[in-house]
Amino acid sequence: MTVKAIQSDVITDIQKGEIPVHVAVIMDGNGRWAQERGMPRVFGHQQGAESVREIVETAAKLGVKILTLFAFSDENWGRPKMEVKALMKLLDTYVLQERAKLKKENVRFQAIGALDQLPEKTLAAVLRTQQELSHCTGLTLNIALSYGGRNEILTACKKLAKKAQAGIISPQDITPQIFEEHLWTSGLPDPDLLIRTSGEQRISNFLLWQIAYTELWFTPVYWPEFRKEHFYEGIKAFQSRKRRYGLLAET
Ligand code: IPE
Ligand code: IPE
Ligand code: MG
């Protein structure tokens, strides 16, 4: 059997089970991966871009509808200037280089986060890609940039408070649905599966509202070496879970 045939067998096997509609990933461990190889942290970020390419392709092949990738957090602004600059440059390069390929693969691209914090050039590249791929109907690639869950919730509260102040909405009419419409993820269903690489088992301010009932899966693999086999492993773990949402299991 060829490698390709084995791969397609694995995919067919996974597709017999439930494919999570929305997968979110905390892509962690770039710096440690590089440092353990005697390389600068930025080298890890560059290699991480390769993993992004492979996982976007794999998620689309499996039939995942939304892939949300945590690329840069609110807190990451506090890292050394050199690293932040290198990350923003990598981001520019990624969105510019991948645009045509994503379009060909029918991938819709969108960014969430405090985007106004991004350098002008990065923001322009992100918005242009978002606009150019807005008509695509395949996988939605949702990149979290300058993103913080607390900031997202607070921003939603401020929008609602302003509407209440202007008499557009009454506080007692604010339902979870209305609240969600004011989040950056408005229109997207909550993640079914959250993957974090690098062995850390924490959320680090990611999608705090949205992961209330998300299945969590942690792997020790550093992001730059995360490949499709690891992604399959995460999906299989998801397929072995019983989601109850606080109710009783079906008998
Ligand atoms: C994840 O890798 C990428 C970003 C947070 C931007 P890290 O840079 O956090 O790498 P580690 O966790 O320090 O190894
Ligand atoms: C989370 O990783 C943010 C991203 C992957 C973009 P961090 O490396 O910033 O998180 P902590 O510091 O380990 O919690
Ligand atoms: Mg980290």
Side-chain angles (χ1 to χ4, degrees):
M1 232 183 176
T2 63
V3 174
K4 218 169 176 179
I6 296 171
Q7 280 298 339
S8 95
D9 260 15
V10 175
I11 292 182
T12 314
D13 193 42
I14 292 175
Q15 282 174 331
K16 281 183 194 146
E18 184 192 350
I19 299 293
V21 173
H22 184 174
V23 178
V25 186
I26 302 176
M27 311 183 288
D28 196 23
N30 294 354
R32 277 166 286 165
W33 179 85
Q35 280 172 328
E36 283 177 19
R37 281 156 184 78
M39 301 296 279
R41 293 177 54 84
V42 172
F43 181 64
H45 297 315
Q46 282 162 354
Q47 289 301 306
E50 242 350 282
S51 306
V52 171
R53 285 186 194 99
E54 178 157 330
I55 298 316
V56 168
E57 209 180 299
T58 307
K61 252 190 208 150
L62 279 176
V64 170
K65 297 277 183 280
I66 303 145
L67 180 68
T68 297
L69 301 179
F70 200 5
F72 194 87
S73 77
D74 251 355
E75 292 75 19
N76 291 152
W77 289 116
R79 290 191 181 189
K81 268 204 177 80
M82 270 264 293
E83 183 168 341
V84 172
K85 217 172 150 194
L87 277 163
M88 291 302 140
K89 191 144 183 270
L90 255 175
L91 201 66
D92 290 353
T93 316
Y94 176 82
V95 291
L96 291 174
Q97 273 182 359
E98 294 298 297
R99 189 185 294 157
K101 189 166 162 254
L102 293 173
K103 200 170 184 175
K104 218 167 113 207
E105 289 167 355
N106 197 21
V107 174
R108 194 164 78 99
F109 174 90
Q110 91 182 32
I112 55 168
L115 303 182
D116 56 347
Q117 301 296 307
L118 295 174
E120 216 173 304
K121 198 167 158 234
T122 308
L123 179 63
V126 165
L127 292 181
R128 194 169 150 216
T129 303
Q130 186 166 290
Q131 200 237 332
E132 240 180 69
L133 306 187
S134 61
H135 65 281
C136 293
T137 53
L139 174 81
T140 293
L141 172 59
N142 192 30
I143 304 257
L145 293 174
S146 186
Y147 175 90
R150 287 183 172 176
N151 189 11
E152 180 181 34
I153 292 171
L154 204 60
T155 304
C157 290
K158 286 179 187 168
K159 287 183 203 160
L160 282 162
K162 271 192 190 152
K163 283 189 183 174
Q165 203 173 33
I168 299 167
I169 194 166
S170 299
Q172 64 271 22
D173 293 338
I174 300 171
T175 60
Q177 284 71 25
I178 289 179
F179 189 75
E180 278 169 6
E181 284 165 19
H182 292 78
L183 293 172
W184 290 318
T185 51
S186 169
L188 298 177
D190 290 341
D192 301 292
L193 170 65
L194 171 68
I195 295 174
R196 181 171 187 148
T197 61
S198 91
E200 308 298 354
Q201 303 197 1
R202 55 177 171 257
I203 299 302
S204 303
N205 201 12
F206 193 37
L207 301 175
L208 297 181
W209 169 278
Q210 297 87 340
I211 59 169
Y213 272 101
T214 299
E215 295 297 326
L216 311 179
W217 185 71
F218 301 99
T219 172
V221 176
Y222 289 142
W223 179 251
E225 51 194 10
F226 192 84
R227 287 292 168 267
K228 51 177 172 293
E229 292 73 21
H230 305 114
F231 193 73
Y232 296 152
E233 210 186 308
I235 305 280
K236 281 189 193 158
F238 168 81
Q239 292 179 334
S240 72
R241 308 276 175 89
K242 281 249 171 310
R243 303 179 81 182
R244 287 189 284 279
Y245 301 95
L247 308 177
L248 298 182
E250 285 166 29
T251 48

